[in-house]
Amino acid sequence: VLLVESGGGLVQPGGSLRLTCEASGLSAGRYYVGWFRQFPGKEREWVAVVTWNGGTTDYADSVKGRFTISADTAKNTVYLQMNSLEPKDTAVYYCVATLGQPSRWYDGRAYDYWGQGTQVTVSS
């Protein structure tokens, strides 16, 4: 499994970005795919998760109502649409995946595969 993120960048507060995670090797099996983020000098924080068929989603309270995760299996891609961005959303965002439902999908240790990360900076 290989995960490659893109779509990060600099955006003003209140703006939007869409992160893309191109996933190879997920065509078979029941995978859970998600996003984590890491603030400078802090632990990684879970953001959102989706089942590969898109049937189940969940979000951290800090992004609920602003971010939307979705999966397009035809394109082997997972998206994270981020709206109403705030400076506190500034972080490196990582795409993650694991086969089978993790017992605690908010725990980074539950995921076997990680992308290289993409920087999101929200600043005026």
Side-chain angles (χ1 to χ4, degrees), residues 1-2 4 9 15-16 25 28 31 33 40 43 49 52 70 83 87 92 94 121 124:
V1 175
L2 179 64
V4 179
S16 299
Y31 282 89
V33 184
E43 293 288 322
V49 67
W52 189 231
S70 60
N83 300 327
V92 178
Y94 295 90
T121 302
S124 56

Side-chain angles (χ1 to χ4, degrees), residues 97-112:
T98 191
L99 179 61
Q101 181 175 348
S103 58
R104 293 181 293 184
W105 56 41
Y106 49 85
D107 188 342
R109 294 170 295 180
Y111 296 88
D112 298 313

Side-chain angles (χ1 to χ4, degrees), residues 32 34-37 44-49 58-61 96 102-111 114:
Y32 280 67
W35 292 89
F36 278 72
R37 62 187 180 183
R44 290 175 179 171
E45 174 187 273
W46 171 68
V47 175
V49 67
D58 197 12
Y59 300 90
D61 287 342
V96 299
S103 58
R104 293 181 293 184
W105 56 41
Y106 49 85
D107 188 342
R109 294 170 295 180
Y111 296 88
W114 290 72

Side-chain angles (χ1 to χ4, degrees), residues 31-87:
Y31 282 89
Y32 280 67
V33 184
W35 292 89
F36 278 72
R37 62 187 180 183
Q38 186 164 22
F39 308 106
K42 295 188 178 181
E43 293 288 322
R44 290 175 179 171
E45 174 187 273
W46 171 68
V47 175
V49 67
V50 63
T51 51
W52 189 231
N53 63 6
T56 298
T57 59
D58 197 12
Y59 300 90
D61 287 342
S62 58
V63 306
K64 199 170 292 184
R66 300 188 298 125
F67 291 11
T68 303
I69 189 171
S70 60
D72 185 337
T73 55
K75 296 182 178 180
N76 285 341
T77 301
V78 173
Y79 303 99
L80 184 68
Q81 178 66 44
M82 305 185 296
N83 300 327
S84 302
L85 283 162
E86 304 170 5

